[in-house]
Amino acid sequence: MTRLIMLVFLIVAAVALAAVATSAVARAVRDAGATGRDIAVTTRGTSMQKIAYVALFIVMLGVTSGLLGGL
Protein backbone atom coordinates (compact mmCIF):
# COMPACT_ATOMS: atom_id res chain seq x y z
CA MET A 1 0.00 0.00 0.00
CA THR A 2 2.84 2.39 0.83
CA ARG A 3 4.45 1.73 -2.54
CA LEU A 4 1.20 2.55 -4.29
CA ILE A 5 0.86 5.85 -2.43
CA MET A 6 4.48 6.75 -3.21
CA LEU A 7 3.91 5.91 -6.87
CA VAL A 8 0.82 8.14 -6.96
CA PHE A 9 2.76 10.99 -5.33
CA LEU A 10 5.58 10.50 -7.83
CA ILE A 11 3.16 10.66 -10.76
CA VAL A 12 1.46 13.77 -9.34
CA ALA A 13 4.85 15.43 -8.81
CA ALA A 14 5.93 14.58 -12.37
CA VAL A 15 2.72 16.03 -13.81
CA ALA A 16 3.10 19.18 -11.70
CA LEU A 17 6.72 19.58 -12.81
CA ALA A 18 5.73 19.15 -16.45
CA ALA A 19 2.99 21.77 -16.04
CA VAL A 20 5.40 24.26 -14.49
CA ALA A 21 7.98 23.65 -17.22
CA THR A 22 5.37 24.03 -19.97
CA SER A 23 4.11 27.25 -18.42
CA ALA A 24 7.62 28.67 -18.13
CA VAL A 25 8.47 27.83 -21.73
CA ALA A 26 5.19 29.32 -22.99
CA ARG A 27 5.82 32.53 -21.02
CA ALA A 28 9.39 32.74 -22.33
CA VAL A 29 8.21 32.33 -25.92
CA ARG A 30 5.53 34.99 -25.45
CA ASP A 31 7.97 37.44 -23.86
CA ALA A 32 10.62 36.81 -26.50
CA GLY A 33 8.11 37.50 -29.25
CA ALA A 34 7.03 40.75 -27.61
CA THR A 35 10.64 41.81 -27.12
CA GLY A 36 11.45 41.00 -30.72
CA ARG A 37 8.56 43.13 -31.94
CA ASP A 38 9.64 46.01 -29.68
CA ILE A 39 13.21 45.83 -30.95
CA ALA A 40 12.07 45.72 -34.58
CA VAL A 41 9.92 48.81 -34.07
CA THR A 42 12.47 50.87 -32.16
CA THR A 43 15.54 50.07 -34.31
CA ARG A 44 14.23 51.21 -37.65
CA GLY A 45 17.02 53.57 -38.59
CA THR A 46 18.53 54.91 -41.73
CA SER A 47 20.50 52.69 -44.03
CA MET A 48 23.62 54.71 -43.22
CA GLN A 49 23.31 53.79 -39.55
CA LYS A 50 23.02 50.11 -40.45
CA ILE A 51 26.07 50.33 -42.70
CA ALA A 52 28.01 52.05 -39.90
CA TYR A 53 27.14 49.25 -37.45
CA VAL A 54 28.26 46.59 -39.93
CA ALA A 55 31.51 48.46 -40.57
CA LEU A 56 32.10 48.80 -36.83
CA PHE A 57 31.52 45.08 -36.35
CA ILE A 58 33.98 44.23 -39.13
CA VAL A 59 36.64 46.54 -37.68
CA MET A 60 36.18 45.12 -34.17
CA LEU A 61 36.38 41.58 -35.52
CA GLY A 62 39.54 42.42 -37.45
CA VAL A 63 41.23 44.04 -34.46
CA THR A 64 40.37 41.25 -32.04
CA SER A 65 41.43 38.50 -34.43
CA GLY A 66 44.73 40.24 -35.25
CA LEU A 67 43.99 40.74 -38.93
CA LEU A 68 43.89 44.51 -38.47
CA GLY A 69 46.52 46.20 -36.37
CA GLY A 70 48.95 43.32 -36.61
CA LEU A 71 50.37 41.21 -33.85
Side-chain angles (χ1 to χ4, degrees):
M1 184 69 177
T2 304
R3 289 181 187 171
L4 183 62
I5 292 173
M6 288 178 59
L7 182 63
V8 168
F9 281 145
L10 181 64
I11 291 172
V12 169
V15 169
L17 185 61
V20 168
T22 303
S23 173
V25 169
R27 184 178 306 150
V29 167
R30 186 179 61 237
D31 290 346
T35 302
R37 283 190 298 274
D38 291 344
I39 289 172
V41 169
T42 59
T43 58
R44 290 192 180 148
T46 63
S47 60
M48 187 58 131
Q49 184 180 10
K50 292 177 184 177
I51 292 170
Y53 279 125
V54 170
L56 177 64
F57 180 74
I58 290 171
V59 169
M60 288 185 346
L61 182 65
V63 168
T64 57
S65 66
L67 296 174
L68 296 175
L71 283 176

